[in-house]
């Protein structure tokens, strides 16, 4: 039996700010239970929903040195869907209104968390063969592990995997301060270890010391070796290319299933979507006050409204696109200029555009189920989950060929009759618009071809089973 510990800063259903939580919460369930004992360790945030906080069982506590400070480390436990979750408790660090606050506080908070994860292992009686670290918040774990090995036999032979969900976020702060927080010896704070461009960089340290590095799609694993996507770490990525691989994320096929989804107006499947899917569209048009018309092409957007997601492209051509026979339904929050952009067009074209500037899980399901196409023109996208959800619901993704979008959406080829969506290559607003209009043309003039694409899209398998097998292979190699 191999013992695996996931260490991360968030996980569904306890705390979620992005796709990282979906991965950490869903993936462990899909490992072969007879060969792998996978457990998860998280911070115990005060901002977790009370229903979860109340279920946690106190296990034990101890005191840990963090350089010159002595910190309380409580350990709580919860069994959820067959997986053991451990929560590290310390009110000083984890009592904020949100899991992340300002960088200054987060740097210390996750230094504490990283060291506490390792210090807790002998106490809970679980010695993992592999610690699987996620993103910069756990980047110090491989470094502390390296440091612990000298004084303590217990930590020798534990391997680490570092998964990069988004290379843009690295956890950097000035070296002196990080040295003071962590108490790590000064030989770690040099350019070939923890230091990058005169600052201490958590993610970089994790990448340097981890036994294997993965990212969440194979294209992204290649892209981050180039200056454009490499966020100033492309040199390091090339140096560690031999240990770097990409494994695409999955989605929970029980949660996202058009046949059983409780959030949507009408359930449907690959066999009856031609008749049934459109009933969701009519229900959503009614709910959002759009013109009721079953024949109009509806395009969905569910996203954080940020530059990374390609909203500057949409900004360029949205007015022009609104001249077409389409409806646009957007859901999400983010930068004020993009929130206001959608509000403006919803005001200017009330029957055509619906701006939902908030986030809601049920509404996202309704959009995946009701729309005909789903727009996702990202500047970069390590994996992307929305396009996997829209494929599952037979809502054809229109994406830019980058990262996980390139790996998961096969562009429609009208000559060979293949493909599961539409894509464009250059980060260019008019190229995006041309692709949207090409999709419109297929939707309106070649409906049978369109339905065949929907069939192929719904037949794709991006469940976690697939990804879990690849992670198992990685663990076995280690």
């Amino acid at each position: 039996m191999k013992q695996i510990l996931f260490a991360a800063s968030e996980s569904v259903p306890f705390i979620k700010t992005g796709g990282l939580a979906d991965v950490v919460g869903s993936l462990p369930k899909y490992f072969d239970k007879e060969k792998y004992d996978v457990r998860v360790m998280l911070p115990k945030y005060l901002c977790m929903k009370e229903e979860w906080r109340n279920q946690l069982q106190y296990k034990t506590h101890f005191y840990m040195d963090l350089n010159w400070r002595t910190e309380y480390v409580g350990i709580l436990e919860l069994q959820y869907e067959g997986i053991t979750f451990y929560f590290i408790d310390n009110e000083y660090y984890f009592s904020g209104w949100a899991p992340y606050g300002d960088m200054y506080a987060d740097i210390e908070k996750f230094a504490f968390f990283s060291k506490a994860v390792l210090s807790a292992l002998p106490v809970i009686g679980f010695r993992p063969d592999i610690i699987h670290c996620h993103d910069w918040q756990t980047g110090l774990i491989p470094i502390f592990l390296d440091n612990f090995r000298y004084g303590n036999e217990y930590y020798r032979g534990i391997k680490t995997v570092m998964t990069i969900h988004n290379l843009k976020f690295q956890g950097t702060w000035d070296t002196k301060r990080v040295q003071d927080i962590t108490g790590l010896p000064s030989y770690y704070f040099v350019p070939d270890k923890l230091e990058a461009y005169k600052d201490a960089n958590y993610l970089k340290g994790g990448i340097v010391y981890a036994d294997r590095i993965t990212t969440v799609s194979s294209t992204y694993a290649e892209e981050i070796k180039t200056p454009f996507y490499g966020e100033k770490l492309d040199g390091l990525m090339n140096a560690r290319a031999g240990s770097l691989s990409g494994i695409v994320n999955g989605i929970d096929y029980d949660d996202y299933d058009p046949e059983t989804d409780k959030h949507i107006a009408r359930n449907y499947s690959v066999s009856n979507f031609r008749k049934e899917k459109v009933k969701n569209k009519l229900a959503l048009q009614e709910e959002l006050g759009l013109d009721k018309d079953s024949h109009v092409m509806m395009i969905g957007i569910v996203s954080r409204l940020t530059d990374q997601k390609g909203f500057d492209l949409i900004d360029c051509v949205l007015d022009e696109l609104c001249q077409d026979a389409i409806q646009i339904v957007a859901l999400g929050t983010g930068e004020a200029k993009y929130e206001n952009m959608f509000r403006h067009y919803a005001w200017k074209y009330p029957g055509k555009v619906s701006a939902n500037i908030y986030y809601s899980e049920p509404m996202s399901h309704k959009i995946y189920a009701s729309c005909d196409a789903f727009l996702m023109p990202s500047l970069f996208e390590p994996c992307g989950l929305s396009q996997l959800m829209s494929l599952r619901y037979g809502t054809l993704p229109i994406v830019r060929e980058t990262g996980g979008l390139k790996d998961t959406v096969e562009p429609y080829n009208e000559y060979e009759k293949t493909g599961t969506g539409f894509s464009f290559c250059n980060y260019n607003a008019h190229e995006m618009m041309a692709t949207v209009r090409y999709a419109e043309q297929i939707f309106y003039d070649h409906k049978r071809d369109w339905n065949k694409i929907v069939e192929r899209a719904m037949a794709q398998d991006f469940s976690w089973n697939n990804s879990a097998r690849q992670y198992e292979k990685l663990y076995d190699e280690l």
Side-chain angles (χ1 to χ4, degrees):
M1 180 74 113
K2 287 198 178 63
Q3 300 192 314
I4 316 285
L5 181 72
F6 275 42
S9 59
E10 54 181 82
S11 164
V12 291
F14 310 109
I15 192 89
K16 170 176 172 164
T17 67
L20 166 65
D22 293 306
V23 178
V24 176
S26 310
L27 178 58
K29 296 187 289 205
Y30 290 88
F31 286 101
D32 181 343
K33 296 273 191 295
E34 296 185 354
K35 296 188 191 142
Y36 303 89
D37 179 0
V38 184
R39 305 186 187 183
V40 184
M41 203 171 268
L42 303 164
K44 177 185 175 281
Y45 298 109
L46 201 63
C47 59
M48 271 165 55
K49 282 208 178 98
E50 201 165 315
E51 55 165 316
W52 297 116
R53 283 210 318 273
N54 294 342
Q55 290 179 42
L56 304 183
Q57 301 287 317
Y58 168 82
K59 197 157 162 105
T60 180
H61 75 273
F62 58 92
Y63 288 86
M64 172 185 87
D65 291 338
L66 193 61
N67 201 5
W68 47 270
R69 315 161 191 75
T70 302
E71 296 290 2
Y72 170 89
V73 182
I75 302 173
L76 295 94
E77 190 184 320
L78 175 65
Q79 299 284 333
Y80 178 73
E81 296 191 339
I83 302 293
T84 303
F85 286 85
Y86 297 107
F87 294 81
I88 300 283
D89 183 24
N90 178 306
E91 298 248 318
Y92 174 68
Y93 288 124
F94 300 130
S95 64
W97 295 113
Y100 315 119
D102 49 2
M103 205 52 183
Y104 173 82
D106 287 351
I107 285 287
E108 186 174 331
K109 174 195 301 186
F110 291 112
F112 163 79
F113 177 66
S114 295
K115 191 168 183 180
V117 166
L118 293 171
S119 306
L121 296 176
V123 185
I124 58 175
F126 180 71
R127 185 184 180 277
D129 300 297
I130 295 170
I131 300 178
H132 192 150
C133 310
H134 295 268
D135 272 355
W136 74 264
Q137 291 90 344
T138 54
L140 287 182
I141 290 179
I143 299 170
F144 276 124
L145 186 63
D146 182 74
N147 187 240
F148 280 22
R149 286 191 182 121
Y150 295 108
N152 194 334
E153 180 103 5
Y154 180 89
Y155 292 99
R156 286 176 212 162
I158 295 178
K159 299 273 198 238
T160 49
V161 176
M162 186 83 222
T163 294
I164 303 164
H165 295 265
N166 192 338
L167 189 60
K168 195 173 173 67
F169 307 110
Q170 296 175 5
T172 55
W173 203 257
D174 76 277
T175 307
K176 237 201 183 93
R177 172 91 181 109
V178 172
Q179 222 175 322
D180 174 65
I181 290 170
T182 58
L184 283 164
S186 52
Y187 62 77
Y188 286 108
F189 294 90
V190 292
D192 67 342
K193 295 189 175 72
L194 238 177
E195 189 187 284
Y197 306 97
K198 308 271 189 291
D199 277 331
N201 181 320
Y202 282 26
L203 183 65
K204 181 187 171 190
I207 293 167
V208 170
Y209 277 95
D211 296 291
R212 288 293 295 267
I213 303 128
T214 72
T215 95
V216 285
S217 71
S218 14
T219 298
Y220 192 61
E222 291 305 312
E223 285 175 341
I224 57 180
K225 295 178 198 165
T226 65
F228 183 81
Y229 293 99
E231 303 288 347
K232 295 187 171 169
L233 294 183
D234 45 295
L236 173 62
M237 289 307 173
N238 281 294
R240 295 235 49 196
S243 310
L244 171 68
S245 56
I247 298 176
V248 91
N249 283 337
I251 55 171
D252 199 318
Y253 267 30
D254 301 335
D255 285 348
Y256 295 94
D257 183 354
E259 286 196 69
T260 58
D261 195 329
K262 291 188 175 54
H263 299 306
I264 65 179
R266 182 59 68 104
N267 293 116
Y268 60 95
S269 65
V270 88
S271 56
N272 66 9
F273 74 86
R274 288 173 176 78
K275 286 208 300 289
E276 298 298 313
K277 184 170 165 38
V278 71
K279 294 174 181 167
N280 288 295
K281 186 197 293 186
L282 289 165
L284 191 63
Q285 285 169 336
E286 177 136 326
E287 181 178 344
L288 299 176
L290 294 167
D291 298 339
K292 279 191 80 171
D293 177 354
S294 60
H295 300 297
V296 71
M297 178 171 174
M298 186 189 269
I299 300 176
I301 297 170
V302 177
S303 177
R304 289 201 320 275
L305 307 180
T306 63
D307 284 333
Q308 179 204 326
K309 300 294 187 181
F311 284 99
D312 46 345
L313 298 190
I314 294 174
D315 195 11
C316 277
V317 295
L318 191 53
D319 209 358
E320 210 175 325
L321 269 178
C322 286
Q323 311 309 316
D324 296 4
I326 58 170
Q327 289 181 344
I328 293 174
V329 180
L331 172 70
T333 58
E335 292 170 33
K337 62 177 174 179
Y338 297 131
E339 294 187 352
N340 292 331
M341 167 187 85
F342 280 115
R343 288 188 183 108
H344 169 76
Y345 287 109
W347 164 79
K348 188 171 177 184
Y349 301 104
K352 281 193 133 161
V353 179
S354 169
N356 305 279
I357 309 302
Y358 55 88
Y359 184 71
S360 138
E361 196 69 24
M363 179 51 82
S364 74
H365 284 246
K366 287 178 192 170
I367 293 175
Y368 291 125
S370 307
C371 292
D372 300 294
F374 189 87
L375 183 58
M376 204 170 171
S378 305
L379 174 62
F380 64 96
E381 193 62 72
C383 175
L385 296 171
S386 299
Q387 83 281 12
L388 303 180
M389 294 163 188
S390 47
L391 286 167
R392 176 79 164 144
Y393 285 85
T395 296
L396 303 187
I398 301 173
V399 301
R400 189 174 94 80
E401 291 165 18
T402 179
L405 299 176
K406 189 177 177 181
D407 290 339
T408 54
V409 178
E410 186 194 342
Y412 173 57
N413 178 327
E414 61 183 81
Y415 303 102
E416 296 176 2
K417 303 286 187 235
T418 55
T420 56
F422 300 86
S423 67
F424 61 101
C425 176
N426 296 301
Y427 194 70
N428 176 303
H430 286 84
E431 202 171 313
M432 175 189 81
M433 186 165 72
T435 308
V436 173
R437 289 192 160 156
Y438 176 53
E440 288 174 38
Q441 185 200 334
I442 306 297
F443 178 81
Y444 282 120
D445 304 341
H446 304 277
K447 199 50 175 247
R448 288 191 58 180
D449 291 345
W450 180 274
N451 285 334
K452 286 287 180 206
I453 311 176
V454 173
E455 247 169 45
R456 289 192 292 272
M458 292 181 77
Q460 297 288 303
D461 180 12
F462 288 108
S463 65
W464 275 113
N465 289 323
N466 225 330
S467 320
R469 297 301 80 80
Q470 293 178 62
Y471 280 113
E472 287 177 2
K473 194 164 159 265
L474 177 83
Y475 295 158
D476 294 346
E477 284 166 14
L478 272 175

